[in-house]
Amino acid sequence: DQKLEAFPNPVHDQMQIKVPASMQGDLVLEIYSAGGLLLKEYKYDQYSSVIDLKDLDQLKRGIYHLKLINDEQARSLSFSKL
């Protein structure tokens, strides 16, 4: 499957990101506020089919946008924080 997925959604403090197999190589994961402000950035230097985010308790309740980028493409999705 080539779709970027996040679960659970809505999230409380932890979330897993299912990374499409087409997104091999170095990855950058960014989390933006609904208004477009970059809040968090993570860098990964090797492919993993699942990324665990464990520090989302710092985010306030609301809607956020997640963007996953490699050298060739970018995928994004929205999630909500309870």
Side-chain angles (χ1 to χ4, degrees):
D1 193 1
Q2 298 303 312
K3 191 169 111 178
L4 181 63
E5 297 179 61
F7 45 94
N9 188 6
V11 63
H12 287 280
D13 58 354
Q14 297 183 46
M15 179 169 57
Q16 289 189 320
I17 311 299
K18 184 178 175 189
V19 180
S22 63
M23 298 207 64
Q24 303 274 338
D26 295 347
L27 295 173
V28 176
L29 190 150
E30 299 171 337
I31 296 179
Y32 292 87
S33 68
L37 181 66
L38 178 62
L39 302 174
K40 292 183 173 285
E41 181 178 71
Y42 307 88
K43 295 184 181 190
Y44 303 94
D45 59 3
Q46 66 183 42
Y47 174 77
S48 175
S49 61
V50 176
I51 295 173
D52 289 311
L53 297 179
K54 299 186 182 217
D55 63 348
L56 300 179
D57 56 330
Q58 301 167 5
L59 297 177
K60 294 180 182 176
R61 180 178 290 186
I63 302 292
Y64 295 89
H65 305 288
L66 182 145
K67 189 172 187 181
L68 188 65
I69 306 157
N70 73 0
D71 291 337
E72 300 172 9
Q73 60 186 313
R75 303 282 175 96
S76 60
L77 60 81
S78 296
F79 69 93
S80 35
K81 167 77 166 71
L82 297 179

